[in-house]
Amino acid sequence: LQSLDSCLGCDGKRADGIIRPTNSCGSCSCPRPLCCLECLSRLFATDNKDLTAKCPNCRFEFCMDDVHPIVDEKNVD
């Protein structure tokens, strides 16, 4: 069991949001959660271009449909 890391954006919360492409709007494939859902939402709200934003780690695009909450830490990878 791997525990969740601290959020890259605020460093105060657990990185409980993961970007997994679910349709053709995103191409990020970072293997681990890097940010909390709040920071991912804020990033999307400020970086939003054509309904996409850039992943803070790999800089590939994602859309809000690609953001998923981590419900069970055992299924992170």
Side-chain angles (χ1 to χ4, degrees):
L1 174 66
Q2 293 179 326
S3 62
L4 297 176
D5 297 325
S6 293
C7 172
L8 289 177
C10 66
D11 200 33
K13 297 181 182 177
R14 291 182 355 185
D16 62 355
I18 192 162
I19 301 170
R20 291 282 187 246
T22 55
N23 56 35
S24 61
C25 71
S27 56
C28 169
S29 60
C30 291
R32 302 263 308 142
L34 300 169
C35 294
C36 67
L37 291 170
E38 185 177 327
C39 284
L40 284 172
S41 296
R42 189 177 308 118
L43 175 69
F44 186 80
T46 58
D47 189 32
N48 182 352
K49 295 177 184 161
D50 299 323
L51 300 178
T52 63
K54 291 188 180 206
C55 170
N57 184 55
C58 70
R59 307 304 297 160
F60 282 108
E61 293 185 337
F62 73 95
C63 62
M64 282 309 294
D65 288 343
D66 297 336
V67 177
H68 303 280
I70 301 298
V71 179
D72 182 0
E73 288 186 35
K74 292 181 266 186
N75 294 322
V76 170
D77 293 328

